[in-house]
Amino acid sequence: SKKDLLHRVLSCILALVLLAATGCAAGTSTPPVTPTPSAPGMPPPGVPDPRETTRAYLDAWQAEDYSAMYGLLTSISQDAINSDEFTDHYQGISTEAALKSIDYEILSSLTNPDTAQVGYRVFFDSALAGEFRADTLMNLTLENGQWRVQWDVTLVMPQLKGSNYLS
């Protein structure tokens, strides 16, 4: 069926992106996010839980509250993209994919003292493509005692990295 074919194609694309990202990561100087010796998925004592910021961001996306999403971005991310461009990006994807709704689930969380990474799965319901999902990662930075989202286009789906787009 078309739904199964789309799911297989998206799975292959995701596998290729992850393979490419793994190969590219070997040459970078950015240190990997490593878990702290706290309980699995929990931030160290005294540090807020980054999953709460991730939930707030994804809940706002579900509600199409782009200004709330934008307010959760790091100051560097807000310097890189203004509110109108940010809103246009999400509305454009929603229109292009003919999204009827999205849902999500949190899959994992790794926390360092000032950085975190939360893995999540987004479930899309599209009038054009039916239901499909994407697993992706959200990188966060601790700013003024609160987690803030390091925005990039892969927060929607990892296949949008680089010059890729929906069409």
Side-chain angles (χ1 to χ4, degrees):
S1 76
K2 287 183 182 181
K3 185 176 175 181
D4 291 335
L5 178 60
L6 177 62
H7 184 263
R8 279 188 252 143
V9 167
L10 288 175
S11 295
C12 288
I13 291 170
L14 178 59
L16 289 173
V17 167
L18 291 175
L19 181 61
T22 302
C24 294
T28 64
S29 62
T30 305
V33 175
T34 55
T36 60
S38 58
M42 296 301 295
V47 176
D49 189 342
R51 293 175 294 184
E52 292 305 313
T53 299
T54 302
R55 282 187 193 95
Y57 188 89
L58 296 172
D59 286 346
W61 185 15
Q62 282 181 309
E64 298 178 8
D65 187 351
Y66 306 114
S67 63
M69 294 168 69
Y70 189 79
L72 292 169
L73 300 184
T74 62
S75 56
I76 292 172
S77 294
Q78 289 181 352
D79 287 344
I81 185 169
N82 69 45
S83 179
D84 291 337
E85 292 169 329
F86 179 85
T87 297
D88 289 348
H89 177 76
Y90 276 89
Q91 287 177 334
I93 287 172
S94 181
T95 300
E96 188 132 355
L99 292 179
K100 297 190 294 185
S101 66
I102 65 161
D103 200 1
Y104 70 89
E105 68 178 323
I106 303 290
L107 302 174
S108 63
S109 176
L110 297 174
T111 306
N112 274 329
D114 61 353
T115 60
Q117 190 174 66
V118 177
Y120 59 97
R121 177 173 293 144
V122 180
F123 300 92
F124 298 94
D125 187 7
S126 164
L128 294 175
E131 295 177 2
F132 62 98
R133 69 180 188 203
D135 291 355
T136 193
L137 296 171
M138 179 181 291
N139 291 303
L140 301 104
T141 301
L142 200 58
E143 287 185 356
N144 301 317
Q146 297 297 315
W147 290 111
R148 294 290 179 234
V149 176
Q150 296 175 17
W151 187 81
D152 68 56
V153 296
T154 63
L155 291 178
V156 175
M157 60 180 58
Q159 296 86 348
L160 296 179
K161 188 171 188 163
S163 60
N164 294 338
Y165 58 92
L166 290 175
S167 139

